Amino acid sequence: MDAEWPDRLAQVAVESFGTLGFMFPLDEAEAGAAGSLIEPITVAVSFHGPRTGWVTLTAPSGLLPILAANMTGDDGPISAEVQQDAFKEMLNVICGNLLPQLAGAEAVFDVGSPKIVDGQNGLLAVGPTATARLLLDAGQVDVALFLAEVVKV
Amino acid sequence: MALNILVVDDSAVMRSMIIRTLQMSGVELGEVHQAANGQEALVVLDQHWLDLALVDINMPVMNGEELIECIRQKPAIADLPIVVISTEGSETRIERLQQHGAKFVHKPFTPETIQQIIQSVTEVTNGR
């Protein structure tokens, strides 16, 4: 795993959050006050193919309704289910765009369904292969890539 | 001509987003139907005349690739224009879909991309 992976993770995540979620990185001056993960929620998606592993996305729970509203265009109250659906779909897009960089454009991967996880289930105890932190206008987001031979999500 | 469209994606948020993008794109819409997987899509296709299907790949129950194969084997709907909207990055899999006559849009997408691909698939110009 080369040293460029944190940048690659960040680049894919920034593009995905910008295009789908209309959330954009803060500049350095604005970023100081934004870096916190209050009531963090994590979603994970597994992939199997030439490389096996999973990708996780962690954000403060307060980011989810903003993301869902931006993606759906709904101004009214948004259910927790829809909020999580939006968060999962964002991870799905990030994962799909990362995989060709892992094993080349010809490689075929099977991608699982994104699932909400917590830090106690063992998934996050393994330690990521690469991580990236985004400071978006709606809050801090952490993206992590885990590579393993056997994945039990 | 208003297009009757089927949006197939297991994410309700993504279906909603695709429909909103369609509404913003300038494409004249007729009926817009939704399905959460390939099996639900086949039920809708049995019940309604549709001009276009927008299909995700990774879905539970029946995925998009299986759905497209089913559609191509049914004489009544075998020629249905299909656009795959997916995060799929494998050129191998994308080529396989294109061999079934499907166009491909990569997520994340812009409204302009959706408009252009629909116009190319349906040869709709909206009078412009």
Side-chain angles (χ1 to χ4, degrees):
Chain A
M1 184 58 50
D2 62 53
E4 294 177 353
W5 266 97
D7 286 342
R8 292 183 189 182
L9 284 176
Q11 185 180 358
V12 168
V14 164
E15 185 186 350
S16 301
F17 271 97
T19 308
L20 280 186
F22 307 105
M23 292 180 172
F24 301 96
L26 298 173
D27 60 35
E28 287 184 14
E30 296 170 311
S36 61
L37 276 172
I38 300 166
E39 295 179 25
I41 183 167
T42 297
V43 63
V45 66
S46 64
F47 56 85
H48 303 266
R51 305 297 299 267
T52 292
W54 59 98
V55 183
T56 66
L57 185 60
T58 302
S61 57
L63 181 140
L64 271 61
I66 304 169
L67 177 65
N70 287 357
M71 288 177 73
T72 62
D74 286 344
D75 294 328
I78 296 178
S79 70
E81 183 184 6
V82 171
Q83 291 178 30
Q84 291 190 3
D85 186 11
F87 196 43
K88 290 175 182 176
E89 189 60 23
M90 183 59 68
L91 175 62
N92 215 19
V93 171
I94 291 170
C95 180
N97 283 278
L98 279 176
L99 293 181
Q101 299 190 39
L102 265 182
E106 301 289 327
V108 177
F109 285 92
D110 290 321
V111 180
S113 296
K115 295 173 182 172
I116 301 291
V117 297
D118 63 54
Q120 306 305 311
N121 72 352
L123 176 74
L124 305 180
V126 177
T129 309
T131 62
R133 172 160 293 174
L134 312 183
L135 296 174
L136 302 174
D137 47 10
Q140 176 182 314
V141 173
D142 289 346
V143 190
L145 170 67
F146 298 74
L147 291 176
E149 294 304 314
V150 178
V151 174
K152 294 177 181 175
V153 176
Chain B
M1 181 187 76
L3 297 176
N4 295 332
I5 293 180
L6 170 61
V7 180
V8 190
D9 197 306
D10 57 330
S11 164
V13 167
M14 186 50 67
R15 294 198 303 272
S16 171
M17 192 166 182
I18 290 169
I19 291 168
R20 186 163 65 111
T21 302
L22 287 170
Q23 291 165 341
M24 291 164 56
S25 72
V27 173
E28 191 179 348
L29 299 177
E31 296 174 10
V32 178
H33 298 273
Q34 301 184 43
N37 58 61
Q39 205 168 75
E40 285 185 15
L42 288 174
V43 172
V44 175
L45 286 162
D46 274 345
Q47 294 172 344
H48 302 275
W49 177 259
L50 293 159
D51 300 298
L52 174 66
L54 306 177
V55 177
D56 187 21
I57 293 299
N58 290 313
M59 296 182 288
V61 185
M62 178 188 282
N63 69 33
E65 222 172 335
E66 294 165 335
L67 169 63
I68 291 168
E69 285 172 12
C70 280
I71 289 172
R72 294 306 184 225
Q73 288 169 9
K74 288 174 173 273
I77 55 174
D79 295 329
L80 178 70
I82 297 172
V83 176
V84 171
I85 302 179
S86 171
T87 61
E88 183 62 57
S90 163
E91 288 179 2
T92 307
R93 194 172 263 162
I94 292 170
E95 280 173 17
R96 221 156 56 204
L97 295 164
Q98 287 171 334
Q99 284 168 2
H100 283 296
K103 299 283 186 180
F104 187 82
V105 172
H106 199 262
K107 293 177 185 172
F109 52 80
T110 63
E112 291 77 18
T113 308
I114 298 287
Q115 183 182 25
Q116 286 166 7
I117 198 93
I118 289 176
Q119 287 181 345
S120 75
V121 167
T122 61
E123 298 177 354
V124 169
T125 61
N126 290 319
R128 284 181 276 185

